[in-house]
Amino acid sequence: MSRALPQVEPDPGLPSRVTVYEVGPRDGLQNESATVPTEVKAELVRRLVAAGLDTVETTSFVHPDWVPQLADAADLLDLLGDEGRGPRRPVLVPNVRGLDRALESGVGAVAIFGSATETFARKNLGRGLAESVAMFAPVVERARAEGLWVRAYVSMCFGDPWEGPVPVPQVVDACRRLMDLGCHQLSIGDTIGVGTVGHVHRLLDALGAAGIGPERVGVHFHDTYGQALANTMAALRDGVTVVDASAGGLGGCPYARSATGNLATEDLVWTLDGAGVETGVDLDALVETSTWLAGRLGRPSPSRVVTALAG
Amino acid sequence: MSRALPQVEPDPGLPSRVTVYEVGPRDGLQNESATVPTEVKAELVRRLVAAGLDTVETTSFVHPDWVPQLADAADLLDLLGDEGRGPRRPVLVPNVRGLDRALESGVGAVAIFGSATETFARKNLGRGLAESVAMFAPVVERARAEGLWVRAYVSMCFGDPWEGPVPVPQVVDACRRLMDLGCHQLSIGDTIGVGTVGHVHRLLDALGAAGIGPERVGVHFHDTYGQALANTMAALRDGVTVVDASAGGLGGCPYARSATGNLATEDLVWTLDGAGVETGVDLDALVETSTWLAGRLGRPSPSRVVTALAG
């Protein structure tokens, strides 16, 4: 079944169209140990766009000491030119300094990276939840004033490695505070991959009740416990239409105990193609891209679809 | 999060209880290249039963030339004694000769292995669809006369490597003919793993319309394209309550291009535990079992949950 494409049998419980939000170049590569040359990153972004990915998060303007893998953010955007700009080529910015650098590079969209838990906020952002929202406020304000599209990631929405289960009202509160800053879209993240389908429904219900409907929400699942695709499908049945995924499963190694891989874009697109849900993505071109990049990274892709189709 | 257990958030769209039909000792081990000593197989079955698996398919009485990995079927059942018998310890039987051998070993349940496609019937059974049903008729008749519980696997229900897409009416017809022989339960198999959620709904709908309701149907998904868990959850939403899975993902290697692995029992149980669906399975004991067996097989388990929790 080399180069087989999924058979189409529409599922009436799913939306007719889904936006795949490709996080591979940023979230994927920042978690890869290999150093990837800037030219290769640029080619990756170009290929992903050519394969039909609607939104591609290109890089991060986090301080190079924190994420050395993406220290070449400005160079990458220079190389990409117009292809790396516009409202559907977001970059991550951690604070106002990062936003300044991103604006100098001419970006049209940014993402901030918040937390649903106090502990992760302190570990990842160096400050508590309230202080981190205060830190993000001028970032979002200035970004909006510059006409940028703004996304807020919320991590640890389903569990936290230090705090354990995270109460749904606490997650809703964190989401509400970030949306109140003026963000256009949330991405609710199961950073450690522990969530299951009932939990997805419950959180989306609670967000809806708090005035954050599924049209404002993207979902970001990790496959640590094999749940990413099942959880994604549960969210789509609840009306979500934006799904984060990483080409070839970039950023996660399935052979490691602490695998924290993102949902592989190919595995998601296989499902959506088969269920008659439009994504605009050319699965064949995407598999070729991930196979090419796996060669550059010197290891096989953890995506099941890439493994099955490539070679 | 070592030894973390999933947080429970019930999902009202799912059944309250699911029977996990454990296929690891048979379907898993017959696809492993390592030779596993009979004593290890016996310990595997005992551990799986002790971990709470309701139904465990123990071995196959297929001719040893075809499946040398399971040539010790009679010896295994001797070793297991009463633990390997009864209506919830089925064995696979290919024909009347296999049934004779299984009956000599005192089994209480058997499974036959049919096909939804002509080509796979010829390749796997050495005869066409009609002739294979004729071959199974005396097997089922005699098994029922001996008071055995009988399951019919139907392979290639979602796609066939030679024929491509398999029309739903053709699958329903193959299922109908096997059920008409007097089988108690069907297991509809996506042997090459290409199916997606809409296809699952459509096939279950069509089976129901043909008088084969979800209470007679088990589902058997492979993770070749990453779809096994998502497809299983789709089937549960349609009323299915029997799910085939393989402890530790036995039988499939995720690193190989032609990975044809079964759904890992641990990944399924993680989902069901989290969604508040009773299975009776002790996930911790199951992970320990798969970790132990992986050591015997000399390779890591492809299950994501085992990878995340073990070590």
Side-chain angles (χ1 to χ4, degrees):
Chain A
M1 294 285 280
S2 163
R3 290 282 173 247
L5 293 180
Q7 303 155 35
V8 180
E9 297 278 357
D11 184 321
L14 298 174
S16 59
R17 189 176 171 88
V18 159
T19 298
V20 181
Y21 186 109
E22 172 61 47
V23 299
R26 195 276 301 168
D27 191 18
L29 290 185
Q30 83 174 29
N31 288 301
E32 292 284 341
S33 54
T35 304
V36 180
T38 311
E39 293 72 20
V40 172
K41 291 175 181 169
E43 186 169 350
L44 172 62
V45 171
R46 280 191 210 106
R47 280 182 178 234
L48 291 170
V49 171
L53 267 317
D54 179 271
T55 305
V56 179
E57 195 167 291
T58 56
T59 186
S60 168
F61 283 90
V62 169
H63 194 284
D65 286 352
W66 301 354
V67 183
Q69 294 93 330
L70 304 183
D72 60 352
D75 293 342
L76 173 62
L77 290 180
D78 275 355
L79 259 181
L80 283 170
D82 285 347
E83 289 183 280
R85 301 198 170 88
R88 292 182 298 170
R89 301 290 175 271
V91 299
L92 193 78
V93 296
N95 49 33
V96 170
R97 203 166 57 249
L99 175 63
D100 284 340
R101 292 173 57 216
L103 285 168
E104 279 167 31
S105 286
V107 304
V110 293
I112 59 175
F113 197 81
S115 169
T117 71
E118 194 70 27
T119 313
F120 186 69
R122 291 197 181 279
K123 299 232 175 218
N124 193 57
L125 306 169
R127 66 206 74 203
L129 276 178
E131 302 96 304
S132 66
V133 172
M135 173 182 78
F136 289 134
V139 178
V140 178
E141 190 181 13
R142 170 120 186 263
R144 291 207 53 146
E146 297 278 352
L148 304 191
W149 182 86
V150 184
R151 167 182 250 217
Y153 285 100
V154 188
S155 51
M156 305 299 173
C157 289
F158 294 82
D160 176 290
W162 300 279
E163 299 186 13
V166 184
V168 167
Q170 177 181 328
V171 179
V172 172
D173 186 56
C175 291
R176 188 68 266 171
R177 287 203 258 176
L178 291 166
M179 288 306 268
D180 285 346
L181 297 181
C183 298
H184 297 90
Q185 184 179 85
L186 279 179
S187 169
I188 53 172
D190 185 4
T191 317
I192 58 173
V194 295
T196 48
V197 292
H199 202 156
V200 175
H201 290 306
R202 181 141 172 251
L203 178 54
L204 289 170
D205 275 0
L207 284 171
I212 306 174
E215 73 286 355
R216 310 288 299 276
V217 176
V219 289
H220 186 111
F221 290 113
H222 280 202
D223 215 23
T224 319
Y225 296 83
Q227 308 298 308
L229 188 55
N231 285 347
T232 298
M233 300 314 282
L236 296 184
R237 290 186 196 286
D238 283 348
V240 166
T241 60
V242 175
V243 179
D244 295 7
S246 176
L250 269 180
C253 177
Y255 320 147
R257 183 179 164 203
S258 59
T260 53
N262 288 297
L263 173 60
T265 311
E266 289 85 351
D267 298 10
L268 171 66
V269 170
W270 182 278
T271 313
L272 297 179
D273 276 0
V277 178
E278 247 188 273
T279 63
V281 178
D282 175 342
L283 183 58
D284 233 43
L286 183 58
V287 168
E288 274 170 38
T289 299
S290 294
T291 306
W292 159 79
L293 190 68
R296 291 310 194 111
L297 294 173
R299 66 155 182 77
S301 160
S303 158
R304 308 266 184 175
V305 169
V306 172
T307 304
L309 291 184
Chain B
M1 295 287 281
S2 162
R3 290 281 173 248
L5 293 179
Q7 303 156 34
V8 180
E9 296 280 357
D11 185 320
L14 298 175
S16 59
R17 188 175 171 88
V18 158
T19 297
V20 180
Y21 187 109
E22 171 61 48
V23 300
R26 196 277 302 169
D27 191 17
L29 291 185
Q30 82 174 28
N31 289 302
E32 291 286 341
S33 53
T35 304
V36 180
T38 311
E39 292 72 20
V40 172
K41 291 175 182 169
E43 187 171 348
L44 173 62
V45 171
R46 280 191 211 107
R47 281 182 178 233
L48 291 170
V49 172
L53 267 318
D54 180 271
T55 304
V56 179
E57 195 168 291
T58 56
T59 186
S60 168
F61 283 90
V62 168
H63 194 284
D65 286 353
W66 300 354
V67 183
Q69 294 94 328
L70 304 183
D72 59 354
D75 293 341
L76 173 62
L77 290 181
D78 275 354
L79 260 182
L80 283 170
D82 283 351
E83 289 184 279
R85 300 197 170 90
R88 293 182 297 171
R89 302 289 174 272
V91 299
L92 193 78
V93 295
N95 50 33
V96 170
R97 204 166 54 249
L99 175 63
D100 284 340
R101 292 173 56 216
L103 286 169
E104 280 167 32
S105 287
V107 304
V110 293
I112 58 175
F113 197 82
S115 168
T117 70
E118 194 71 29
T119 311
F120 186 69
R122 292 196 180 279
K123 299 230 177 221
N124 192 55
L125 305 168
R127 64 206 76 204
L129 275 179
E131 302 96 304
S132 65
V133 172
M135 175 183 75
F136 289 134
V139 178
V140 179
E141 190 181 11
R142 170 119 187 263
R144 291 207 52 147
E146 299 276 351
L148 304 189
W149 182 85
V150 184
R151 165 183 252 216
Y153 286 99
V154 189
S155 51
M156 304 300 171
C157 289
F158 294 81
D160 176 289
W162 299 280
E163 299 186 13
V166 184
V168 167
Q170 176 181 328
V171 178
V172 172
D173 186 56
C175 291
R176 190 66 267 172
R177 287 203 258 177
L178 291 167
M179 289 305 268
D180 286 347
L181 297 181
C183 298
H184 297 89
Q185 185 179 84
L186 278 180
S187 170
I188 53 173
D190 186 3
T191 317
I192 58 173
V194 294
T196 48
V197 292
H199 202 156
V200 175
H201 291 306
R202 181 141 172 250
L203 178 52
L204 289 170
D205 275 359
L207 285 170
I212 306 174
E215 71 286 355
R216 310 289 299 276
V217 176
V219 290
H220 186 113
F221 290 112
H222 281 202
D223 216 23
T224 319
Y225 296 83
Q227 307 298 307
L229 188 56
N231 286 347
T232 297
M233 300 314 283
L236 296 184
R237 289 186 198 285
D238 283 348
V240 166
T241 60
V242 175
V243 180
D244 295 8
S246 178
L250 270 179
C253 177
Y255 321 146
R257 183 181 163 202
S258 59
T260 54
N262 288 296
L263 173 60
T265 311
E266 288 85 353
D267 298 10
L268 171 66
V269 171
W270 182 279
T271 314
L272 297 179
D273 277 359
V277 178
E278 248 189 89
T279 63
V281 177
D282 175 341
L283 183 58
D284 232 43
L286 183 59
V287 168
E288 274 170 38
T289 299
S290 293
T291 307
W292 159 78
L293 189 68
R296 292 309 195 108
L297 294 173
R299 66 154 182 80
S301 160
S303 158
R304 308 267 183 174
V305 169
V306 173
T307 305
L309 290 184

